[in-house]
């Protein structure tokens, strides 16, 4: 629903206090003119908050901030191992 209504491919929350590419907000999620802007905004977010993290620290950050309580980090590590990326 967030993707369809807001062109928000990665579920970026509305962020009024950081540099962003958002055009507005619906349901507390960022709204974009097209889905590619949501990926660009995600890249801005990662560049601002994750610069200098190693792979494990980055996955821990995603687990803690992006998807807390959902075991996201372990799921991501398993997926990356299956693809031989981690």
């Amino acid at each position: 629903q967030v993707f369809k209504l807001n062109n928000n491919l990665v579920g970026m929350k509305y962020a009024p206090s950081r540099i962003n590419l958002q055009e507005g907000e619906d349901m507390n999620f960022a709204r974009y003119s097209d889905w590619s802007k949501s990926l660009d905004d995600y890249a801005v977010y990662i560049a601002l908050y994750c610069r200098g993290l190693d792979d494990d620290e980055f996955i821990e950050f995603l687990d803690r901030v992006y998807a807390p309580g959902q075991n996201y980090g372990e799921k991501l590590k398993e997926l990356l191992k299956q693809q031989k990326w981690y």
Side-chain angles (χ1 to χ4, degrees):
Q1 185 178 18
V2 170
F3 171 65
K4 288 181 181 180
L5 295 176
N6 296 0
N7 290 318
N8 190 338
L9 186 63
V10 293
M12 295 294 291
K13 294 285 191 175
Y14 179 63
S17 62
R18 71 162 173 83
I19 297 169
N20 66 68
L21 304 173
Q22 305 162 11
E23 294 191 351
E25 174 262 334
D26 283 311
M27 303 177 298
N28 202 32
F29 286 91
R31 185 179 65 243
Y32 301 94
S33 59
D34 66 77
W35 65 266
S36 66
K37 295 287 186 205
S38 70
L39 293 179
D40 293 341
D41 196 34
Y42 180 72
V44 168
Y45 176 80
I46 296 302
L48 287 171
Y49 295 103
C50 298
R51 182 181 19 197
L53 299 181
D54 66 26
D55 291 347
D56 288 326
E57 292 169 330
F58 179 65
I59 289 172
E60 194 279 326
F61 173 83
L62 291 176
D63 199 30
R64 187 180 75 252
V65 176
Y66 180 72
Q70 298 179 36
N71 205 24
Y72 183 81
E74 289 305 314
K75 292 173 187 175
L76 182 58
K77 285 179 185 179
E78 185 58 36
L79 179 65
L80 293 172
K81 285 178 187 175
Q82 289 174 9
Q83 299 299 317
K84 297 181 175 43
W85 292 346
Y86 184 78

